[in-house]
């Protein structure tokens, strides 16, 4: 079909300490102090950029992660780290998780706009509502606000933030040296927001960011999460154990986006994949086993208990999940992740020990074990079969797992014309093929 | 006196858009879009570092500055900008203003710790309590909290932040690959703070910063401000129009620091100076006049009204300040700055027009007009006469004013052995000769 441009995969490099596998820091080659070693992050960012990834991404939450006994419990504040990385890269998009529950819209809109400026239009914000009670306890609360309330706040947060990002019209600055007139105050807009969660006068004290506003990313999969994503998200990170579930989610979110009056193509859906790649199936399985053997079961049990908002003692390693968990109790935290674990356990009839092994690589994300060709087959089948617009690549060890993916999987995708040889644009929006949003104040003025 | 080390000046480069003078952006050579042009800031940071300044500094407030009509009304969020600059420099200290009134301790302590990590121990925090009603209106408040309450919050904020910065003992991370034990949880301390303003569980999710904690800077000069500084500040930025006033402030703060149980030498006092330098007195005066001629009086009147929390219409350009201002009304905002303006006006019997001219260069900071030798005489007399440990250099135009100071004033100071030829240390604390704070949790453990 001459003239038809091949639809392209989008790839995000999801970076995490010495790797996504919970025991990655124990590998002989790993830097166990990677979290606070800027050189580690610069190396990863340059690696992903040289491979022409659309973006890199850092997860986050404002609390210590667990007790620290078996896994690094902290990390650099991600917008700070991305800002540093922006000065060592020039094209790759830079996405950070920041909580809408434990920040103020004026401060956060300003910081994100500033990162977009200093990176030349490469900032993205993964909006999370912060599911943990441990996070709430760092912000004066006895417990987290409930699920619905957190999303209600997130929606209002986005409404305010978008107005703040638009508050300087492009034509606002005159910089007329001869008259001394710097700006046209009628083009600097007070947002005058008064709502249930926020009252914000505005305007923002930062010029409109190069991308209009940073790319908005979201990863919630609950009912509230999907509706929020349909309304605001431009890219979605999502966790699915099977093609079927991923395809169902994909269809559902695109329908919701259309219902919210948006172009479904402007919502880029990226399921996570944890790739254990070997030149043979056996080599890949051996690699996965090497990681699995390094796990400390206590750590996994604590994580499982955290997911289900219960105590580790309720689980027996060689039994299935207890009945009260299988009954899907209502949770205030990460509901969809808990549902996914139950589904996996039931579908494959797993003991707790087996569940921990399956979650060790990517906390519920799809774990792939096989050869580069098999990885490509899977990627292509999800991509062409309506389950993904691209993937969130979660290397079990870093940098080695990312290097393997780049050296052995990417060339095959490129040979099929499915992934860029070089960047065509400069901004993160350009990489994802997303438009620059119109300025709401300018639209009114016209 | 053989063996006696000459006491050394400390110099901070206070950077602001195209210069500190309110009309600097109108100069032929100025970049009027400097605020959002990263290249401008990188140039200034490299210039100050090449000249071996102790630090550079960015002022800030979370609101639009004025209407924007006559002067750039916004700027990049300063910790974001400093983080970017940290990647283009290796030694100079990096100090940003951030509000303790409109931030949460957990988030801000974490961000500052992260900047200290990525800069290799070069972060400083200028603590402000945010005097403006316009700032309050961006954070859900009808008006700012009163002066005393803001300082009460700031004190509690610092108490929490210091505990968070200490919450990882140096020995906390074991990273024992063989056993799988990552950290010793008994050396990661919950801060468990419960106070009037904050409840914070902790620990911080960032390893203790290289400097122990970022350098703490403060600029308040009111009674509350001085007591806060005596208790917490390690460096103080301050504005004085005369040697006498500066010396009085210097003595007072050192006495307060001693009374608070601190070593007065560990509080570095840096008055601001706005240098208009010429090779002759006439050349310097012409330079100052060039700037003055570019001022738009409306801008200065609006600033004056903001200082006195009143309306510009109460002022007449060719009259003295009105009586109700001279009566020193109690203000919720920047009390000490307002007192300083009244003092200046009364001492020199100035009309409003003359006041605006005197404030145009540095908003009340000491403005120097003269030759390099005269500048050195003034600097040395304040330094040796017990009014300063160094200076906050506020170039009227940037980069040109900083270049002039570096090329013509610094060599004379160096020839007198008063300023370093090269950095002796790496961290900001080392440049200022300040110790790394002890860890409060470690002290208890011993």
């Amino acid at each position: 079909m001459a003239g038809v441009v091949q639809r392209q995969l989008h790839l995000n490099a999801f970076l995490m300490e010495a790797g996504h596998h919970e025991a990655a820091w124990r590998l002989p080659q790993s830097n166990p102090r990677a979290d606070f070693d800027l050189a580690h992050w610069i190396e990863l960012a340059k690696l992903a950029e040289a491979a022409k990834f659309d973006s890199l991404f850092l997860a986050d939450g404002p609390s210590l992660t667990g007790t620290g006994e078996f896994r690094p419990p902290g990390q650099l504040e991600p917008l700070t780290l991305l800002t540093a990385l922006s000065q060592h890269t020039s094209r790759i998009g830079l996405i950070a998780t920041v909580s809408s529950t434990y920040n103020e819209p004026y401060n956060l809109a300003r910081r994100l706009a500033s990162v977009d400026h200093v990176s030349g239009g490469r900032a993205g914000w993964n909006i999370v509502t912060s599911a943990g009670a441990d996070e709430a306890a760092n912000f004066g609360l006895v417990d987290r606000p409930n699920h619905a309330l957190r999303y209600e706040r997130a929606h209002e947060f986005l409404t305010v933030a978008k107005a703040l990002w638009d508050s300087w019209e492009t034509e606002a600055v005159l910089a007329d040296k001869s008259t001394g007139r710097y700006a046209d105050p009628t083009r600097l807009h007070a947002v005058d927001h008064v709502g249930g969660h926020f009252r914000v006068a505005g305007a923002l004290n930062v010029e409109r960011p190069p991308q209009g506003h940073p790319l908005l990313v979201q990863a919630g999969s609950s009912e509230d999460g999907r509706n929020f994503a349909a309304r605001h998200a431009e890219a979605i990170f999502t966790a699915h154990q099977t093609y079927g579930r991923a395809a169902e989610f994909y269809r559902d979110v695109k329908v919701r986006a259309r219902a919210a009056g948006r172009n479904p193509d402007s919502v880029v859906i990226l399921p996570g994949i944890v790739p254990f790649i070997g030149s043979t199936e056996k080599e890949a399985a051996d690699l996965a086993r090497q990681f699995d053997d390094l796990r400390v079961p206590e750590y996994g049990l604590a994580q499982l208990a955290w997911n289900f908002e219960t105590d580790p003692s309720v689980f027996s390693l060689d039994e299935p999940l207890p009945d009260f968990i299988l009954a899907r109790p209502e949770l205030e935290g990460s509901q969809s992740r808990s549902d996914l674990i139950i589904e996996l356990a039931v579908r494959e009839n797993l003991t707790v020990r087996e569940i921990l092994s399956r979650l060790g690589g990517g906390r519920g994300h799809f774990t792939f074990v096989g050869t580069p060709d098999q990885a490509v087959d899977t990627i292509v089948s999800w991509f062409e079969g309506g389950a993904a617009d691209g993937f969130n690549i979660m290397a079990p060890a870093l940098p080695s797992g990312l290097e393997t993916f780049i050296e052995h999987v990417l060339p095959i995708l490129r040979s099929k014309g499915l992934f860029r040889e070089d960047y065509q644009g400069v901004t993160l929006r350009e990489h994802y093929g997303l438009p620059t949003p119109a300025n709401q104040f300018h639209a009114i003025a016209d």
Side-chain angles (χ1 to χ4, degrees), chain A:
Chain A
M1 296 193 293
V4 174
V5 177
Q6 164 96 54
R7 180 171 160 251
Q8 295 271 304
L9 271 168
H10 297 289
L11 296 179
N12 174 66
F14 183 174
L15 306 180
M16 180 173 280
E17 49 187 76
H20 278 271
H21 192 280
E22 64 189 50
W25 68 272
R26 296 183 65 188
L27 292 168
Q29 74 272 23
S30 286
N31 173 3
R33 315 286 300 236
D35 273 306
F36 300 101
D37 182 355
L38 183 60
H40 172 77
W41 299 102
I42 293 172
E43 179 187 1
L44 296 179
K46 288 186 167 178
L47 182 64
E49 181 169 78
K52 318 302 178 192
F53 273 72
D54 294 69
S55 50
L56 62 83
F57 164 61
L58 305 169
D60 193 57
S63 68
L64 210 66
T65 314
T67 65
E69 192 164 5
F70 303 111
R71 191 174 186 180
Q75 63 175 11
L76 292 166
E77 192 281 318
L79 279 181
T80 306
L81 177 51
L82 287 192
T83 301
L85 296 179
S86 74
Q87 303 305 299
H88 297 273
T89 54
S90 61
R91 303 298 275 277
I92 194 166
L94 305 162
I95 304 172
T97 294
V98 191
S99 170
S100 58
T101 299
Y102 301 119
N103 280 281
E104 287 283 336
Y106 197 91
N107 285 340
L108 184 55
R110 185 176 182 214
R111 292 179 62 207
L112 287 161
S114 298
V115 178
D116 206 45
H117 278 288
V118 302
S119 67
R122 297 187 285 136
W125 172 25
N126 178 40
I127 305 149
V128 294
T129 66
S130 301
D134 44 348
E135 296 168 309
N138 290 329
F139 296 89
L141 302 177
V142 175
D143 199 358
R144 67 216 123 178
N146 75 42
H147 200 267
L149 197 64
R150 294 201 311 273
Y151 272 104
E152 185 188 291
R153 178 182 164 114
H155 171 65
E156 190 178 330
F157 198 116
L158 266 285
T159 304
V160 177
K162 286 175 179 176
L164 288 169
W165 286 320
D166 283 347
S167 60
W168 291 43
E169 289 185 50
T170 310
E171 302 82 355
V173 176
L174 313 168
D176 185 339
K177 289 185 179 183
S178 61
T179 63
R181 235 172 110 78
Y182 189 79
D184 176 353
T186 69
R187 292 183 178 267
L188 295 170
H189 299 274
V191 307
D192 285 333
H193 175 87
V194 178
H197 295 267
F198 306 112
R199 294 167 51 142
V200 180
L204 195 62
N205 55 356
V206 175
E207 197 169 351
R208 193 167 195 249
Q211 293 188 101
H213 60 68
L215 191 79
L216 300 175
V217 185
Q218 213 266 346
S221 293
S222 65
E223 188 67 17
D224 289 333
R226 290 180 190 209
N227 285 334
F228 180 83
R231 203 149 168 188
H232 295 289
E234 301 174 287
I236 294 177
F237 297 150
T238 182
H240 301 285
Q241 285 287 329
T242 63
Y243 164 78
R245 280 306 205 181
E248 187 181 81
F249 176 84
Y250 185 96
R251 274 192 303 274
D252 180 64
V253 169
K254 299 272 180 172
V255 166
R256 288 180 201 239
R258 195 188 302 273
R262 300 177 62 204
N263 174 359
D265 293 340
S266 293
V267 183
V268 175
I269 298 179
L270 305 166
I273 179 170
V274 184
F276 291 89
I277 307 285
S279 58
T280 62
E281 285 186 30
K282 182 177 180 306
E283 205 181 292
D286 288 347
L287 179 69
R289 196 170 310 109
Q290 187 197 354
F291 281 85
D292 202 42
D293 288 345
L294 292 174
R295 281 191 309 103
V296 176
E298 277 166 273
Y299 174 80
L301 280 175
Q303 287 295 106
L304 201 63
W306 184 89
N307 265 299
F308 290 109
E309 299 173 12
T310 184
D311 191 87
S313 64
V314 307
F315 301 107
S316 305
L317 281 173
D318 296 306
E319 302 283 333
L321 289 173
D323 287 343
F324 81 95
I325 296 284
L326 293 170
R328 303 187 185 225
E330 200 174 309
L331 304 171
E332 283 307 336
S334 181
Q335 208 156 41
S336 52
R337 188 59 55 92
S338 305
D339 287 348
L340 177 151
I341 296 169
I342 292 171
E343 240 187 80
L344 167 70
V346 171
R347 191 177 59 244
E348 306 193 17
N349 193 26
L350 303 176
T351 64
V352 167
R353 191 184 301 277
E354 291 163 334
I355 293 169
L356 298 186
S357 169
R358 293 292 292 277
L359 298 178
R363 306 173 306 287
H365 281 270
F366 176 64
T367 297
F368 172 86
V369 184
T371 66
D373 282 316
Q374 288 170 335
V376 167
D377 288 347
T378 299
I379 286 170
V380 171
S381 69
W382 287 41
F383 178 60
E384 294 185 344
D389 296 313
F391 288 85
N392 197 10
I393 307 301
M394 303 167 60
L398 288 163
S400 62
L402 188 57
E403 284 166 344
T404 301
F405 186 87
I406 290 168
E407 282 167 33
H408 299 285
V409 180
L410 274 195
I412 308 176
L413 292 171
R414 288 205 167 103
S415 72
K416 293 177 182 290
L418 290 174
F419 191 63
R420 66 174 69 83
E421 299 282 345
D422 202 355
Y423 292 110
Q424 301 303 307
V426 173
T427 68
L428 174 51
R429 285 185 179 281
E430 286 170 332
H431 305 334
Y432 277 114
L434 296 168
T436 299
N439 187 322
Q440 60 186 276
F441 293 107
H442 195 74
I444 292 163
D446 280 347

